[in-house]
């Protein structure tokens, strides 16, 4: 033992004295690895620190295999460039997606670039550049230590043994289960928090090659697992009060961009933010505990999860990376039922690869930007009001010329982040008036805030939808038509915005703190729960509203609506919530987190947050986690190996 300690000491002293550049290189990149996790997720993980250090030591020791000094310096710069880029890019990405980058998403990032405005507006913070200090440091240290002789002891062996030792200690620190996560990579943040950012990124790279390898090797196992799953869980259609109530009716589904649920309960100066959507919710079937289940494919994932009742892809985005796969969708079932199935959207057709994917999904026709007169543009394309104005005569035409019922998806656009022109298209007043000493004071506290712009934009979308419903009615098109609305995902506003809105006190013109009476806590789990979006099924002849508060996700939408329309997808992983007790509802997110009526379980932190005060059974979490993992895994297999194609051919 003594001997080992002496070798460690001697090595350290020697490196410190003779290899200052190497020492700086290791320490600096190690610090960056720790910093990125602290700054983004706020976690300080000893385990990850060992992995960060071990990783940098391995890279550092390899430099000693390079004989020429200049080449060695080049090596330090290049490998630091890799590590610094890893930190900077992940830091920026995290601001927007609260997750870390995946190389397999490079194809997807083409679309992220298209919404680049949004990313730039929200994402880049001054702290994202902090990691660049390594280069300045390296430059100075290299300059200062120009003349180190060449007869240095090569410490490669010691250093690499040291690195292995450090990594070994990392492995010995619990939780051990995380090795499983390293392979599955469902939850990127937790992998980085367990293994450090550098190993995460390397792992991600290796995993991104996996689908191609899996295609070669893992297919049979996956097919067996999926087949068995369906044998055990064959969810035969159940008859309930809603079965077939809309059979044969036309259907219009409004895919409402970034429409988050909390808007439905908000008013400013006595005026609701979403009066038209509220009316549909209160007179139709309103699913008030509904969540989108998207990955990085956001809008397109929402379309995919709705259509197939499967969870989104974990490596890449289905619309982009698996667009040639076969899926069973609401659209192709409606088509087979004799409907004309179409989609309409005011953005270019190749965005999210919709041109290709919509046809694959079973739409007879996709009317994209080129089908519309672009007479008014906001954000990514045609304004919602102009879009809906033009849609009505198009639907009228479909209704009169084709002798069949229709099923159409209308994808809205204006409410897309960052709502830059909100003041132009919306005069909705988000200020608050208070009486102070007998005087009325107007507090424009949301002015200039992203949340303020968002609420204005939501109001605009609501007006556009209200106008659409009215125009449809005037044309007589509502008499035989069901209207469905879902919010496609949350608005990706950061938590601070809500803290501010919920705790701003107009009387004192300041934000309440936890010491103040009336302070409303909005913790990270409240934030997650607040990401819910509305799901509404409405038809004109319904005479009373129904609220369903069973927890449900986008994958439950089609089984629930499908039962009303008379279609059934035997591959659906979601369920008809009209058949469920509230306590049986569950929303599974693709990272393994989930929501039930009792808890929000975070896979990232392996932590449950109680929604209700009731006691939960001992095996509650393990049971639900197992269920979540199962449907994530089945979805993954189906998408990766194109298994619906095979199952259909059997
Ligand atoms: C673009 C729109 C936005 O056409 O659907 O996509 P998103 O950025 O929300 O995924
Ligand atoms: Mn979207």
């Amino acid at each position: 033992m003594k001997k080992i300690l002496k070798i460690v000491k001697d090595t350290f002293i020697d490196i410190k004295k003779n290899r200052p550049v190497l020492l700086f290189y290791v320490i600096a990149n190690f610090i960056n690895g720790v910093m990125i996790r602290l700054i983004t997720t706020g976690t300080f993980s000893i385990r990850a620190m060992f992995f960060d250090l071990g990783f940098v030591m391995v890279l550092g020791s390899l430099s000693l295999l390079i004989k020429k000094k200049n080449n060695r310096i080049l090596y330090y710069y290049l490998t630091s460039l890799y590590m610094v880029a890893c930190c900077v890019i992940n830091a920026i990405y995290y601001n927007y997606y609260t997750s870390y980058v995946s190389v397999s998403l490079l194809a997807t990032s083409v679309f992220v670039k298209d919404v680049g405005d949004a990313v730039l507006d929200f994402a880049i913070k001054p702290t994202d550049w902090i990691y660049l200090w390594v280069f300045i440091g390296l430059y100075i240290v290299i300059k200062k230590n120009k003349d180190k002789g060449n007869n240095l002891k090569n410490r490669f062996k010691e250093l690499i043994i040291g690195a292995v030792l450090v990594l070994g200690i990392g492995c010995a620190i619990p939780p051990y289960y995380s090795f499983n996560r390293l392979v599955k990579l469902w939850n990127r943040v937790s992998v980085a928090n367990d293994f450090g950012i550098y190993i995460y990124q390397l792992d991600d790279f290796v995993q991104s090659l996996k689908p191609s390898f899996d295609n070669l090797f893992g297919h049979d196992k996956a097919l067996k697992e999926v087949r068995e799953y369906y044998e055990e869980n064959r969810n035969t259609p159940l008859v309930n009060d809603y079965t077939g109530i809309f059979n044969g009716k036309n259907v219009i589904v409004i895919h409402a961009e970034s429409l988050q649920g909390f808007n439905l309960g908000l008013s400013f100066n006595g005026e609701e933010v979403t009066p038209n959507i509220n009316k549909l919710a209160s007179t139709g079937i309103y699913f008030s505990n509904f969540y989108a289940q998207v990955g990085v494919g956001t809008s397109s994932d929402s379309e995919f999860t709705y259509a197939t009742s499967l969870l989104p892809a974990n490596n890449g985005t289905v619309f982009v990376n698996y667009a040639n796969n076969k899926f069973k969708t609401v659209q192709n079932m409606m088509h087979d039922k004799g409907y004309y199935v179409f989609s309409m959207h005011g953005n270019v057709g190749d965005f999210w690869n919709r041109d290709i994917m919509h046809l694959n999904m079973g739409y007879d026709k996709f009317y994209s930007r080129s089908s519309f007169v672009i007479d008014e543009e906001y954000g990514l394309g045609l304004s919602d009001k102009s879009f809906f104005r033009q849609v009505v005569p198009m639907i009228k035409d479909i209704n009169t010329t084709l002798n069949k019922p229709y099923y159409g998806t209308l994808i809205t656009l204006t409410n897309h982040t960052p709502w830059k022109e909100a003041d132009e298209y919306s005069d909705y007043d988000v200020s608050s008036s208070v009486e102070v000493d007998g005087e009325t004071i107007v507090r424009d506290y949301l002015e200039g805030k992203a949340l303020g712009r968002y609420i204005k934009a939501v109001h605009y979308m609501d007006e556009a939808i209200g106008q659409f419903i009215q125009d449809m009615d005037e044309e007589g098109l509502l008499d035989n038509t069901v209207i469905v609305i879902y919010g496609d995902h949350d608005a990706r506003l950061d938590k601070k915005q809500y803290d501010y809105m919920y705790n701003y006190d107009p009387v004192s013109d300041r934000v309440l703190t936890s010491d103040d009476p009336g302070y409303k806590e909005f913790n990270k789990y409240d934030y997650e729960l607040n990401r819910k979006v509305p799901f509404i099924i409405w038809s004109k002849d319904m005479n009373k509203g129904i609220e369903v508060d069973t927890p449900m996700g986008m994958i439950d939408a089609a089984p629930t609506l499908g039962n009303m329309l008379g279609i059934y997808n035997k591959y659906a992983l979601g369920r008809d919530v009209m058949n469920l007790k509230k306590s049986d509802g569950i929303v599974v997110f693709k990272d393994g987190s989930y929501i039930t009526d009792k808890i929000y379980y975070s896979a990232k932190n392996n932590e449950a947050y109680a929604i209700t005060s009731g006691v939960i059974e001992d095996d509650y979490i393990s049971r639900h986690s197992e269920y979540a993992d199962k449907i994530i895994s089945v979805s993954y297999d189906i998408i990766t190996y194109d298994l619906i194609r095979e199952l259909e051919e059997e």
Side-chain angles (χ1 to χ4, degrees):
M1 188 66 191
K2 252 191 176 162
K3 215 172 147 193
I4 296 175
L5 283 178
K6 192 171 167 351
I7 297 174
V8 171
K9 201 174 140 207
D10 287 352
T11 310
F12 183 73
I13 290 173
D14 186 31
I15 288 180
K16 195 169 152 231
K17 196 168 139 233
N18 294 317
R19 307 267 186 199
V21 181
L22 171 61
L23 185 68
F24 176 81
Y25 167 90
V26 170
I27 293 177
N29 284 302
F30 165 66
I31 290 177
N32 267 1
V34 176
M35 235 166 29
I36 167 114
R37 283 179 291 101
L38 261 182
I39 293 177
T40 50
T41 63
T43 29
F44 188 81
S45 151
I46 301 275
R47 187 173 197 270
M49 282 169 74
F50 275 99
F51 282 108
D52 279 333
L53 183 62
F55 180 85
V56 185
M57 280 170 75
V58 170
L59 285 192
S61 62
L62 294 179
S63 74
L64 298 177
L65 299 178
I66 303 171
K67 290 249 153 60
K68 273 207 176 124
K69 190 177 165 191
N70 282 347
N71 289 350
R72 214 159 45 229
I73 286 175
L74 185 68
Y75 173 86
Y76 291 136
Y77 273 121
L78 286 180
T79 46
S80 294
L81 180 67
Y82 164 74
M83 289 184 275
V84 169
C86 183
C87 292
V88 173
I89 293 169
N90 275 303
I92 293 173
Y93 189 86
Y94 191 90
N95 298 335
Y96 197 60
Y97 290 109
T98 52
S99 185
Y100 293 130
V101 173
S102 162
V103 285
S104 63
L105 303 177
L106 287 183
T108 304
S109 70
V110 174
F111 299 100
V112 176
K113 221 173 54 228
D114 269 11
V115 288
D117 223 17
V119 178
L120 288 180
D121 205 48
F122 285 100
I124 300 185
K125 294 181 187 160
T127 49
D128 298 339
W129 305 112
I130 211 164
Y131 313 95
L132 294 168
W133 75 279
V134 167
F135 294 118
I136 303 169
L138 260 183
Y139 179 78
I140 295 172
V141 180
I142 290 167
K143 263 245 138 84
K144 267 184 126 179
N145 296 282
K146 253 191 184 138
D147 300 309
K148 280 267 132 49
N150 267 336
N151 298 331
L152 301 175
K153 191 161 183 185
N154 194 319
R155 290 285 182 178
F156 172 71
K157 212 170 74 200
E158 285 91 342
L159 208 59
I160 197 84
I161 292 175
V164 171
L165 225 77
V166 169
L167 290 172
I169 298 173
C171 292
I173 300 175
Y176 313 109
Y177 64 82
S178 50
F179 283 100
N180 187 20
R181 295 183 176 194
L182 201 56
V183 178
K184 289 185 175 164
L185 249 194
W186 286 338
N187 194 317
R188 299 171 184 282
V189 173
S190 82
V191 169
N193 280 337
D194 282 342
F195 295 94
I197 196 82
Y198 304 132
I199 291 186
Y200 155 71
Q201 209 67 73
L202 188 70
D203 177 44
D204 168 67
F205 175 70
V206 174
Q207 298 300 328
S208 73
L209 303 174
K210 215 178 121 213
S212 352
F213 278 112
D214 281 353
N215 269 332
L216 293 175
F217 303 116
H219 165 270
D220 295 355
K221 191 166 152 256
L223 182 61
K224 184 167 171 276
E225 183 193 353
V226 170
R227 213 188 263 135
E228 274 169 13
Y229 175 84
Y230 285 122
E231 270 158 23
E232 282 163 29
N233 302 282
R234 183 64 76 210
N235 57 348
T236 41
L238 296 171
V239 175
N240 57 35
D241 290 351
Y242 297 88
T243 305
I245 57 169
F246 297 133
N247 212 338
K249 287 211 176 203
N250 303 312
V251 185
I252 291 292
V253 180
I254 301 176
H255 167 118
E257 175 59 45
S258 304
L259 176 62
Q260 225 165 309
F262 73 89
N263 292 290
L264 277 64
L266 268 189
S267 288
F268 286 83
N269 302 300
E271 206 192 320
E272 293 165 304
V273 177
T274 55
N276 294 299
I277 297 171
N278 288 357
K279 212 179 292 159
L280 300 177
S282 62
T283 53
I285 310 174
Y286 172 38
F287 301 87
S288 58
N289 208 356
F290 179 81
Y291 291 83
Q293 292 162 299
V294 298
V296 287
T298 44
S299 276
S300 70
D301 279 348
S302 220
E303 289 186 51
F304 173 75
T305 46
Y306 169 88
T308 59
S309 196
L310 300 174
L311 289 171
N314 201 37
N315 278 332
T317 296
V318 175
F319 268 44
V320 179
N321 307 90
Y322 300 93
N324 298 320
N325 281 18
K326 182 169 180 150
F327 296 106
K328 191 151 187 93
T329 64
V330 171
Q331 289 79 359
N332 53 42
M333 286 185 285
M334 292 306 275
H335 173 91
D336 291 347
K337 215 171 140 63
Y339 278 60
Y340 176 65
V341 187
F342 64 90
S343 54
M344 294 177 173
H345 185 41
N347 195 1
V348 287
D350 59 0
F351 201 97
W352 281 133
N353 207 20
R354 282 188 179 109
D355 271 339
I356 295 178
M357 194 57 189
H358 274 205
L359 292 184
N360 182 10
M361 281 162 86
Y363 285 114
D364 293 305
K365 190 169 161 104
F366 172 33
Y367 302 82
S368 63
R369 183 183 166 101
S370 53
S371 305
F372 295 90
V373 181
I374 308 299
D375 51 3
E376 186 180 48
E377 263 189 291
Y378 296 120
L380 292 172
L382 183 62
S383 78
D384 282 354
K385 284 192 181 169
S386 173
F387 170 70
F388 279 120
R389 216 183 294 129
Q390 297 183 55
V391 155
V392 177
M394 288 159 86
I395 295 179
K396 192 176 173 195
D397 194 44
I398 289 167
N399 187 51
T400 43
T401 51
L402 300 175
N403 199 11
K404 43 162 105 172
Y406 56 83
Y407 175 102
T409 305
L410 309 179
I411 302 171
T412 74
L413 193 55
T414 308
N415 194 36
H416 194 282
T417 180
W419 319 285
K420 278 229 168 94
E421 297 130 311
D423 279 327
E424 250 175 76
Y425 52 73
S426 170
D427 53 10
Y428 186 66
D429 182 6
V430 290
S431 69
S432 155
S433 304
V434 274
E435 291 280 325
V436 180
D437 302 332
E439 221 184 296
T440 306
I441 298 182
V442 178
R443 303 278 196 216
D444 221 352
Y445 68 109
L446 286 172
E447 192 55 43
K449 299 259 180 232
L451 183 56
R453 294 200 300 276
Y454 170 62
I455 291 170
K456 284 174 178 225
V458 169
H459 185 76
Y460 169 86
M461 176 165 62
D462 179 80
E463 280 179 349
I465 291 174
Q467 189 62 51
F468 169 69
I469 302 282
Q470 196 181 321
D471 292 350
M472 286 282 284
D473 202 15
E474 276 166 19
E475 294 292 350
L477 291 166
L478 277 193
D479 300 335
N480 198 30
T481 302
V482 183
I483 303 282
V484 177
I485 300 184
Y486 64 75
D488 73 340
H489 47 74
D490 71 314
R492 294 177 290 204
L493 288 158
D494 60 34
K495 188 174 153 296
K496 277 189 274 179
Q497 305 264 336
Y498 296 101
D499 279 329
Y500 175 76
M501 178 169 79
Y502 290 132
N503 285 303
Y504 174 79
D505 175 35
V507 177
S508 60
D509 192 22
R510 67 181 189 92
V511 184
L512 302 179
T513 65
S514 52
D515 300 331
D516 291 309
Y519 172 78
K520 187 171 173 210
E521 196 197 334
F522 192 76
N523 65 32
K524 60 182 178 196
Y525 295 125
D526 296 325
Y527 177 81
E528 292 301 330
L529 294 166
N530 188 54
R531 295 172 78 173
K532 70 177 62 149
V533 296
F535 177 46
I536 301 165
I537 301 174
W538 179 89
S539 88
K540 197 180 152 185
D541 50 11
M542 281 179 153
N543 42 25
K544 69 173 172 54
I546 301 159
E547 183 177 339
V548 179
D549 64 353
T550 308
M552 68 185 288
M554 193 63 88
I555 64 169
D556 300 309
T560 306
L561 174 68
N563 178 48
M564 301 177 189
L565 295 172
I567 53 169
Y568 167 70
N569 178 357
K570 63 180 178 182
Y571 303 114
L573 295 179
R575 297 165 299 171
D576 178 356
V577 293
M578 295 311 201
N579 285 329
L580 293 184
K581 290 201 294 271
K582 189 175 174 187
S583 57
D584 289 334
I586 180 167
V587 190
V588 174
F589 299 100
K590 75 172 196 69
D591 71 345
S593 302
Y594 54 84
I595 293 171
T596 67
D597 66 327
K598 295 192 179 60
I599 59 165
Y600 172 84
Y601 172 78
S602 157
K604 204 186 311 194
N605 305 324
N606 188 23
E607 199 167 80
Y609 174 67
I611 296 175
T612 51
S613 51
V615 260
I616 60 167
E617 312 95 74
D618 282 350
D619 66 341
Y620 189 85
I621 292 179
S622 59
R623 217 162 13 97
H624 286 83
S625 295
E626 200 179 301
Y627 174 78
D629 285 0
K630 189 78 205 171
I631 67 168
I632 292 169
S633 174
V634 170
S635 291
Y636 175 87
D637 287 342
I638 289 177
I639 294 167
T640 310
Y641 304 107
D642 197 7
L643 294 184
I644 300 284
R645 185 184 303 281
E646 266 178 81
L647 294 173
E648 281 286 89
E649 280 164 9
E650 272 176 9

